[in-house]
Amino acid sequence: MRFLLKLTAAAVLAAALTGQALANEKIKIGVTPGAHEEVMEQVVKVAAEKGLDIEIISFSDYVIPNQALDDGDLQANSFQHKPYLDNQIKDRGYDLSVVGYNILTPMGIYSDKIKDLSELKDGAEVGIPNDPTNGGRALLVLQSEGLIKVDPAAGLSVSPLDVIENPKNIKFVELDAAQLPRSLADLDASAINTNYALEAGLNPIKDSIAIEGNDSPYANVIVTRTQDKDAPWVKTLVESYHDDSIREFIETKYEGSVLPVFKISE
């Protein structure tokens, strides 16, 4: 009996120490402005109740958050879809892993000059993101609207060079994704990621003239360094993001322009 009591006491002490360690855990997580930052602000509150202290670091572009994570300046990031991450890992050699999925932010086509894509004139200028994965995503949206046709062999890695049919001779203007909302004053239309659209005061449901379908492969992900992916705080972070209160916040605030995609890494 005395031996059993010692074991029980040891187990309780170990559990207490584990909880204390997590309670003292502080992480920095990188996001981009708009939905990713707004949702993460709610996740911070849930995680705090679970003993995880999160500091949000907001970045104005898509390049630095992965570099900062790989360098160890961040412990996680939440701003990108998996095709973009895969491309970054391939091009830059990052040792990063997906630990969970979070939201889908459908890409939309916007214009200050036309109300329908059928109104685009011959030689129209259309802005698309200048990073390969989001640029390709924009082209696939245009293809789904019947404006162009791309080479099926390109898969998701589509570039303007893969456009094999372009009956309206659309000119693709490649710009930094964050600059595309401002391009609407000069271009005929632009494909804009939802986080930057929301930041610019655009409503993807009401203001876009075309929008990506819900079956998009571009669900966004929570990412850590591979060496950290099994750390206790990672499980807490993902559980906090997947909390029912976060789902309710997303569905209420964004009314369909941002969709919760809560699943763990595959």
Side-chain angles (χ1 to χ4, degrees), residues 62 81 83-84 87 107 109 127-144 148-151 154-163 172-175 177 180 191 193 212 216-218:
Y62 288 156
H81 49 66
Y84 180 82
N87 187 70
M107 178 177 278
I109 309 296
I128 64 173
N130 63 1
D131 66 89
T133 50
N134 284 301
R137 183 182 185 182
L139 294 173
L140 292 173
V141 173
L142 293 172
Q143 176 176 250
S144 71
I148 61 173
K149 184 176 180 181
V150 300
D151 186 349
L156 295 179
S157 302
V158 182
S159 79
L161 296 176
D162 297 305
V163 176
F172 304 107
V173 180
E174 298 178 87
L175 299 170
L180 285 166
N193 294 79
E212 198 171 32
S216 166
Y218 294 95

Side-chain angles (χ1 to χ4, degrees), residues 25-29 52-56 75-76 233 237:
E25 191 78 58
K26 295 182 179 181
I27 66 168
K28 294 180 180 179
I29 184 163
L52 181 62
D53 184 0
I54 299 175
E55 179 182 355
I56 299 173
Q75 283 68 55
W233 63 263
L237 170 62

Side-chain angles (χ1 to χ4, degrees), residues 181-182 195-202:
R182 289 195 286 271
N195 58 312
Y196 290 126
L198 292 172
E199 185 183 7
L202 296 169

Side-chain angles (χ1 to χ4, degrees), residues 206-240:
K206 298 177 181 178
D207 297 325
S208 67
I209 57 175
I211 196 164
E212 198 171 32
N214 291 348
D215 57 349
S216 166
Y218 294 95
N220 286 265
V221 291
I222 305 167
V223 180
T224 69
R225 290 183 295 172
T226 300
Q227 69 190 60
D228 294 331
K229 67 183 180 69
D230 296 318
W233 63 263
V234 173
K235 181 179 179 182
T236 302
L237 170 62
V238 175
E239 287 178 347
S240 299

